[in-house]
Amino acid sequence: HLDQQLELLARKQKQLQVTSPIAGEVITWNVHDRLIHRPVDRGHMLLSVADPSHPWRLELRVPEDRMGHVAQAQKAVGEELRGEFILATEPGKTYQGAVANVHHRAEVRDNQENTVLVEVAIDKEQLKQLRPGATVIAKLHCGRRSVGYVWFHDLVEFVQSRVLFRL
């Protein structure tokens, strides 16, 4: 009976080992202090792991109401939709990228509005300091429009969706 209990405890102890699905570096700050005496359940995110040797991508959370513009631009330009971004730590320098992937589903993330995840491929050689999780301000180039459209398209879309649609 004791051998069965010992075997059961060994299996439970083996299940406590957590492995990363990718090879890379742990980028979570102060790991020991974050995990010590912390109760953990299945599915909890404990650490962040990044592989700096692979290509880097920005994950942009584009509001769902802006995705029509992005889809139209992709049809006009093709898959090579360009964008630019600035880092919060270096606001004076602009970097370039290209849309690599647009997810097909909108989701609510971080208690914000419905957003669609857009991945932008970047050349990591142009960045001096790579920081996973860094904040960026980005814009996607969706073509040229008149100044009036750029300034008032939100108002026009609001009237179309909230006023004219209800008539």
Side-chain angles (χ1 to χ4, degrees), residues 85-101:
F85 65 97
I86 59 172
L87 296 169
T89 57
E90 199 176 3
K93 180 134 170 72
T94 303
Y95 299 99
Q96 306 296 318
V99 172
N101 189 17

Side-chain angles (χ1 to χ4, degrees), residues 30-152:
N30 214 357
V31 174
H32 182 269
D33 291 343
R34 285 189 61 170
L35 295 178
I36 193 76
H37 304 299
R38 175 182 170 186
V40 176
D41 287 328
R42 239 178 241 277
H44 279 183
M45 188 171 120
L46 303 175
L47 306 170
S48 293
V49 177
D51 187 355
S53 66
H54 283 9
W56 282 58
R57 294 193 177 194
L58 294 178
E59 289 184 353
L60 305 179
R61 295 175 182 165
V62 179
E64 185 179 28
D65 61 352
R66 302 284 188 208
M67 286 308 296
H69 302 288
V70 174
Q72 286 176 352
Q74 276 188 311
K75 282 182 184 176
V77 177
E79 291 297 317
E80 193 61 28
L81 189 61
R82 304 293 301 163
E84 57 186 33
F85 65 97
I86 59 172
L87 296 169
T89 57
E90 199 176 3
K93 180 134 170 72
T94 303
Y95 299 99
Q96 306 296 318
V99 172
N101 189 17
V102 177
H103 289 232
H104 298 289
R105 188 173 73 177
E107 296 178 9
V108 176
R109 292 178 178 85
D110 300 331
N111 297 325
Q112 296 178 350
E113 61 186 330
N114 250 9
T115 58
V116 176
L117 194 61
V118 176
E119 295 178 355
V120 176
I122 60 172
D123 179 14
K124 66 181 178 181
E125 301 303 321
Q126 66 180 330
L127 300 171
K128 294 177 187 166
Q129 298 177 359
L130 295 175
R131 293 201 193 285
T135 301
V136 301
I137 298 171
K139 59 182 172 182
L140 300 174
H141 297 289
C142 293
R144 298 182 61 85
R145 300 284 185 179
S146 68
V147 173
Y149 178 82
V150 172
W151 286 351
F152 297 114

